[in-house]
Amino acid sequence: MILLAAVVVLLILYALLFVYYWRGWKSIEEFQADGKEKHSFLSVVIPARNEEKNILNLLNALAEQTYPKKYFEIIVVDDFSTDSTAQIVGSLNLSNLKLVRPDVAAERSSKKKAIEAGIHHAKGELILTTDADCVPSKNWLAIINGFYVNGDVVFIAAPVKFTNDKSFLQRFQSLDFLTLQGITAASVATNFHTMCNGANLAYKREAFFEVNGFEGIDKVATGDDMLLMYKIWKRYPGKIKYLKSKNAIVATEPMRTWENFFYQRKRWASKTLVYEDFRIIAVLFLVLLVNCSFIALLIASLINPFYWWYVLGFWIAKTIIEIPFVYSVAKFYNEQREVNYFFFFQPLHILYTVLTGIFSQFGTYEWKGRKLK
């Protein structure tokens, strides 16, 4: 009975959390630029390591931006690629394109070092970061500039979506990522906690240097986005905003194998214990406890088969709690049909959440040919 009482309490807290997120998401108005905003000079910084298959798609998308080319520059930072990434970038005839390298030894480099090198070469007042395997819409720069000049903002978190070939793995990742994106938007809009994704960020160059860039978080293998966001939030707590606009969406590919998916999520979760933002730590701890309670009910059902009814009840209750929020976010991304699979993905989602939450704090993983702790 103690287990059941604990599960009920956790589900109530979880329901309150998702009601808060849902209301936060619904409260964000979609931004529409009027096209008459003044043009800021923008610097797009792209850290790239072994991206020969993707970099050209991104650079072609940037070359086709509706934003005037004289008002932005593209800085690709070749993070010691061992493929032809640098040669591909160097072969392009784009007047506003720069190719640079981090000013460190290859073995000491990292994504943070690459971004830092790009920012040191940047001339723009606003830094935009994206990943080399991403593709933005043609209005991406125009909409971010419009949002920037129309509001008192220092740091902008913006939407990201996965492409989806409708396979089981990609559908699962798409739904999981949509949920994370909705939580990101709601948390930033309500100032509930800091959260963002490095595939689509913008921040003032001077703010980056005011907080001493990645100093203090440079020993963490990941966190070039959320850990930096928190540093800037502490300096400018009222000037961190979320840009909700379909024109601002950046698309990126999901992982192709379950192994790569697990390592990606393990890398994302690895920075949990270095967060200084206690608010997000509390949320992540609650989410982990809720998912662990499902595992506990499964174990109990092996001892007493009657507990299978509680397992099923938990499965249904968790879906009911989450689905209004998930559907609302999926609608923004035009992915409503994917929500049909949401109920069936629940056990797998719970299992991976528990596994990554635990194993992300131990051992090493490999990223782009590098062993990371």
Side-chain angles (χ1 to χ4, degrees), residues 32 64 70 81 86-87 101 139 164 196 203 211 233 236 249 259 306 313 315 317 343 354 364:
Q32 300 290 337
E64 295 170 0
K70 64 180 179 179
S81 297
Q87 292 91 323
R101 259 195 173 183
N139 295 312
N164 186 351
C196 62
Y203 41 85
V211 300
W233 176 83
Y236 298 100
I249 295 173
E259 181 183 19
F306 187 76
W315 186 348
F343 176 77
V354 172
T364 62

Side-chain angles (χ1 to χ4, degrees), residues 24-50:
W25 168 262
K26 297 290 284 185
S27 71
I28 311 172
E29 294 185 10
E30 286 196 46
F31 177 75
Q32 300 290 337
D34 59 20
K36 298 178 181 179
E37 297 88 359
K38 76 177 185 74
H39 294 111
S40 308
F41 193 82
L42 313 176
S43 294
V44 183
V45 175
I46 306 161
R49 177 172 169 81
N50 297 338

Side-chain angles (χ1 to χ4, degrees), residues 9 17 26 37 45 55 84 101 124 172 180 187 223 238 263 276 285 288 290 317 323 332:
V9 170
L17 176 67
K26 297 290 284 185
E37 297 88 359
V45 175
I55 192 67
S84 60
R101 259 195 173 183
F172 176 77
L180 289 175
S187 62
Y263 279 124
E276 293 182 26
F285 186 62
L288 182 61
V290 169
I323 206 161
F332 168 75

Side-chain angles (χ1 to χ4, degrees), residues 130-131 134 158-162 177-178 181-182 196-201 242 248-252 332-333:
T130 190
D131 294 329
C134 294
V160 184
K161 70 176 292 185
F162 278 156
F177 197 64
L178 285 176
Q181 283 295 296
C196 62
N197 188 288
N200 198 0
L201 289 183
Y242 184 85
I249 295 173
V250 165
T252 188
F332 168 75
Y333 286 97

Side-chain angles (χ1 to χ4, degrees), residues 66-179:
T66 58
Y67 199 67
K69 288 181 173 54
K70 64 180 179 179
Y71 290 113
F72 75 96
E73 62 181 351
I74 306 165
I75 303 174
V76 176
V77 188
D78 175 36
D79 189 12
F80 299 97
S81 297
T82 56
D83 64 6
S84 60
T85 298
Q87 292 91 323
I88 292 172
V89 176
S91 68
L92 297 177
N93 186 25
L94 295 176
S95 59
N96 59 346
L97 174 64
K98 297 179 185 176
L99 176 64
V100 302
R101 259 195 173 183
D103 187 22
V104 294
E107 62 272 14
R108 292 183 55 240
S109 190
S110 64
K111 188 177 180 183
K112 292 193 189 78
K113 292 293 185 185
I115 294 172
E116 195 173 60
I119 293 174
H120 278 287
H121 283 86
K123 298 184 297 184
E125 63 177 288
L126 190 68
I127 303 294
L128 286 76
T129 65
T130 190
D131 294 329
D133 58 355
C134 294
V135 178
S137 74
K138 65 180 181 180
N139 295 312
W140 181 54
L141 295 180
I143 202 73
I144 287 183
N145 176 72
F147 191 72
Y148 172 62
V149 300
N150 276 296
D152 186 15
V153 58
V154 171
F155 188 105
I156 301 169
V160 184
K161 70 176 292 185
F162 278 156
T163 57
N164 186 351
D165 66 4
K166 309 305 179 184
S167 65
F168 181 86
L169 173 58
Q170 293 205 10
R171 276 198 157 116
F172 176 77
Q173 289 181 82
S174 179
L175 267 174
D176 176 63
F177 197 64
L178 285 176
T179 306

Side-chain angles (χ1 to χ4, degrees), residues 206-207 209-212 229-238:
E206 65 179 34
F209 290 112
E210 282 179 9
V211 300
N212 297 315
M229 182 187 197
Y230 182 65
K231 290 184 71 176
I232 294 177
W233 176 83
K234 286 192 294 183
R235 177 67 68 92
Y236 298 100

Side-chain angles (χ1 to χ4, degrees), residues 293-336:
S293 67
F294 181 78
I295 305 298
L297 288 174
L298 276 177
I299 295 172
S301 69
L302 298 177
I303 300 171
N304 183 350
F306 187 76
Y307 271 82
W308 279 110
W309 291 107
Y310 295 117
V311 170
L312 179 61
F314 182 100
W315 186 348
I316 294 171
K318 186 171 184 290
T319 302
I320 291 172
I321 289 169
E322 296 172 344
I323 206 161
F325 172 74
V326 174
Y327 182 83
S328 182
V329 177
K331 188 175 180 181
F332 168 75
Y333 286 97
N334 294 319
E335 295 283 354
Q336 303 96 304

